[in-house]
Amino acid sequence: MNERLLLGRSIETGSWVHKLDARSKITGMLLYLAIILLSHSWAAMGLLAVFSVAVMLSTRIPLKYFIKSAKPLRFLMLFIFIVQMLSVKEGEAWLTLGSFSLYEGGLRLGAFSVIRMLFLVTFTSLLTFTTTPGKLNQGLEGILSPFKKLGLKPDRLTMMIGLALRFIPTILDESQIILKAQASRGADLKELPLKEKGRMLVSLLVPVITSAFRRAQDLVYSMEARGFRMDAPRTRYHRLRWGTADTLFVVMFIIMGVAVAVL
Amino acid sequence: MKETNIVNETGDAVISLEGVAFGYDPEHPILHNITLSVPRGQWVSIVGPNGCGKSTLVKLLNALLPKSAGEIVVCGQPLEEETIGSIRGSIGMVFQNPDNQFVGATVEEDILFGLEGLCLSYDEMDERLKLYTEKLGISHLLSKHPGELSGGQKQRVAIASILAMKPGIVIFDEASSMLDEGSRNELLVILQGMRDEGYTILMITHDADEILASDRVLALHGGSLAADLTPEELFRDQELLARCHLREPYPWQLARELQRLGIRTDVPASEKELIDTLWPYNYSK
Amino acid sequence: MAIQLQQVSYTYADRSLWRQTALHDINLSIAQGSMVGIAGATGSGKSTLLQLFNGILKPSQGTVQVLDVTIQAGEKAPRLLPLRRRVGLVFQFPEQQMFEETVEKDLIFGPLNFGMSPEEAKARARQAMTDMGLDLELLERNPFRLSGGQMRKAAIASVLAMDPEIIVLDEPTATLDPLSRAELIGLLERLCREQGRTIIIVTHRMDELLPYADHWALLKEGGLMFQGSGLALAQDPDILERCGLSVPQSLRYWHAVARRFGLEGEQPCLTADSLAERIALLQAEGMRDSHE
């Protein structure tokens, strides 16, 4: 439950990262993705680790929150590690059991994949932790605004994302209750044979979907009653302001990228 | 308050309906031939059994639903395609489910949602944000996600979001029915404050205390206006109460039962008053 | 005893970020065949408590004994399916869990899951409809075409159709109109008195349940503040305020009359008509006394 609640939740500490323009943070994250893909040596990984932890610490958000955000993916990471380890047969064999050998290259690549994934997930949660969903959306809208000329409507897209982020936790909570209610009527997914599980799924999905539609209807009323019209002009309370710190933030990532590419 | 658009000018109608109907099937309309007018500053309770069309009626006023016949005039403007925007600006609505009307991901975003749509300047938004969150006692909750708030707090946010848009009319569509008792009492205090500030209030409710606090009751039944009376008149009319699925407040029930047993008494204001009227002599047994 | 909780605590595994109410050190007994009210302010742990009654939640500490099943913290729970049939749990807004295309199919969903034959399940469904005061013609209807009040009663009937010995309801009257609320409480009381089922109702509208409940449990911030008879509660209504609840008017009026005439030991009159009659009797006695 904790993991899903971290979705779209900001943790306010007022650090310098919190104050940055959302656009620079999104740009930074995209660059970070490139940096991860460019890192191919232990030295690069090491430098990246120092850099990532330093930036995370500077947000004044406890490190354990970042680690928690990667927790749901732990089995996936383990799986990737094992697959990489077993499939790559490079370098010297470290361990041989009959016809089966573990190679140094396999272990290294396995470890790299896991570290990359860990970096990616923990560090990108920095974006959601330090930026409220509204500002994040606004930043996204800003970054996408050049595409307006191509007929794309970034404000519609971000409105959709915003509402989805707002309602996903509510709907998940409700699904929990419906799951419990049906379990109380004897439809406990855990205790039933597979054949019955399909039918039980219907008993969960129909109420959840019906309720989502009802919520959507209520939401439309509430938005329209407050004068909302699609594509009508709006002003913004929080304006996007690109400052020196933002430029520095992005430059920092570019330097990192060059550094790991060289290492 | 320095608002100029909610000055109390008793007498002139801010809402008037003439022969209004709604329904997709003309044979079985959901509402038919509704004619009424509400003067500025009045607090009106709208009552009736489930499915009588109360919620439909209020949604016609700002064209959330399209009327099928009749005339609606809000703040002097007839409701037409071109006036919908301006009429929605003068009517605020608070709905039943506190969760489903929370548009923003935080309290601040939810209040700003309406203000940004009004295309206000930063300073104006900032001022209203501060003023109305303070008024509703939610300024400490600005960065909270709706999941962290109680139902009562969410309804306060909904009210702040709406009042910040400065409507003269506020409609409550069963806004208290999902709240616990404490939050219902708090809502009643907020409503009384709004009445004093001159807002016109339309409130769909089953709650006897809310009805009693209002100035006027419109009872709907089977899609038409069954009665237009004061709360006191409603609570004296047993037949109408039953038709509207309502009960009078407890002191009224008690006074009625006492009268049935031949004990003359007015509706007591408190338990102490009842004891003092029934047993004026301070004898002890 | 139908339900007995001994030193029960419940802690959510993850309450660091979300507002969750845990329960601590609850000792509660609920007698078989009684009508019990559970009240407490928002966030007092009422809903958490209910979910311990049919094993949806398991205690973090202590022992929960329901009928002849014992669930002990730290030990492997027994098979809970049979218990869930015997303890019907009705969540808040139960109409939202209906999913079949007819009311009848929804009503037999529970009974079939618990292994009843289709004939038996259908017979139970009809009985449950009658018990909930619903017309049998509605069985063929689509549940989404019922009125709000009917849908609520049908959803309760879908739990009642399992023929549970204990029925636990979380805010069953929320959002209903006053007449439907009174009617529903009346129907639940009949299930208790006429069929001997144990009825447990969580409510924050104490006034509607006060005249009928045999026993009350009051919660505050996850702890049990009070448990006892309606009479004990009527003798000390201030306890409600200490739990963050307001004292219902019916109780305030009774308490004032009882104090004036020293009737605190009597069974409280918590409806307008019973109190009016008691007052009339007092007046008649007063009249007679003054004539003597």
Side-chain angles (χ1 to χ4, degrees), chain C residues 35-160:
Chain C
M35 183 128 174
V36 180
I38 298 179
T42 305
S44 59
K46 295 172 295 192
S47 301
T48 308
L49 181 65
L50 293 192
Q51 294 174 32
L52 289 167
F53 293 164
N54 75 345
I56 287 281
L57 297 181
K58 296 176 187 74
S60 315
Q61 275 170 40
T63 312
V64 175
Q65 191 164 358
V66 185
L67 300 167
D68 51 14
V69 178
T70 308
I71 307 169
Q72 193 151 4
E75 284 179 21
K76 196 181 176 313
R79 218 171 98 78
L80 291 170
L81 202 62
L83 180 67
R84 298 220 172 121
R85 187 197 65 73
R86 297 170 71 194
V87 184
L89 184 49
V90 181
F91 281 80
Q92 214 176 349
F93 306 117
E95 58 276 17
Q96 291 180 2
Q97 43 165 291
M98 300 189 89
F99 66 99
E100 291 281 14
E101 63 259 51
T102 67
V103 172
E104 183 175 45
K105 281 189 182 170
D106 221 297
L107 259 64
I108 61 173
F109 175 71
L112 291 180
N113 286 335
F114 290 113
M116 283 189 207
S117 70
E119 294 72 39
E120 199 186 345
K122 282 187 179 170
R124 280 298 318 157
R126 298 175 83 81
Q127 182 61 43
M129 288 291 276
T130 315
D131 288 342
M132 277 293 109
L134 291 169
D135 204 321
L136 290 178
E137 280 172 23
L138 298 179
L139 280 171
E140 299 311 314
R141 283 268 196 100
N142 183 319
F144 299 97
R145 300 222 170 273
L146 302 182
S147 76
Q150 283 174 333
M151 210 169 157
R152 176 75 51 90
K153 285 192 278 185
I156 296 174
S158 75
V159 170
L160 193 56

Side-chain angles (χ1 to χ4, degrees), chain A residues 179-200:
Chain A
L179 201 63
K180 286 176 178 177
Q182 307 301 34
S184 300
R185 290 207 279 162
D188 199 330
L189 284 172
K190 276 175 275 176
E191 296 195 18
L192 282 166
L194 191 66
K195 186 174 67 123
E196 293 285 294
K197 282 189 184 177
R199 207 165 65 89
M200 296 310 138

Side-chain angles (χ1 to χ4, degrees), chain A residues 32-50:
Chain A
Y32 190 79
L33 182 66
I35 295 169
I36 288 176
L37 295 175
L38 284 173
S39 311
H40 284 291
S41 66
W42 286 109
M45 288 287 176
L47 180 65
L48 192 55
V50 172

